[in-house]
Amino acid sequence: MKLPPPDPPAPAPEGRARHSVRAGGDESNASLDNRGAQRTAASCQTNSDEITSLPGLRSWRGVYLFVFGCFILWVLLLLALTMSYS
């Protein structure tokens, strides 16, 4: 009896990749996570467009809110200084 050839390795994904360890042999549990629950496609995907690579601000929404808050702070400071020195 002749065994089928092994599957070719999957191409490396672009951007950040999560490294995973696969057990050899039976791949029937390949769609299960470490708790035995079945994974969905949404839980496996990470959108690289939403990652900012900034240490404190991990989403672009957080970056936009931070920039908007700084803008409001500067406007309030300029208003306060204008009122106090005029």
Side-chain angles (χ1 to χ4, degrees), residues 23-30:
D26 184 24
E27 293 190 15
S28 63
N29 292 334

Side-chain angles (χ1 to χ4, degrees), residues 4 25 30 66 74 78 85:
F66 177 75
W74 278 105
L78 287 173
Y85 287 107

Side-chain angles (χ1 to χ4, degrees), residues 49-83:
D49 292 339
E50 295 178 5
I51 300 173
T52 63
S53 300
L54 296 172
L57 304 169
R58 301 210 181 260
S59 70
W60 284 109
R61 182 179 183 203
V63 172
Y64 294 140
L65 290 174
F66 177 75
V67 170
F68 185 71
C70 288
F71 173 74
I72 296 297
L73 179 67
W74 278 105
V75 169
L76 291 175
L77 285 172
L78 287 173
L79 180 65
L81 291 171
T82 301
M83 293 178 77

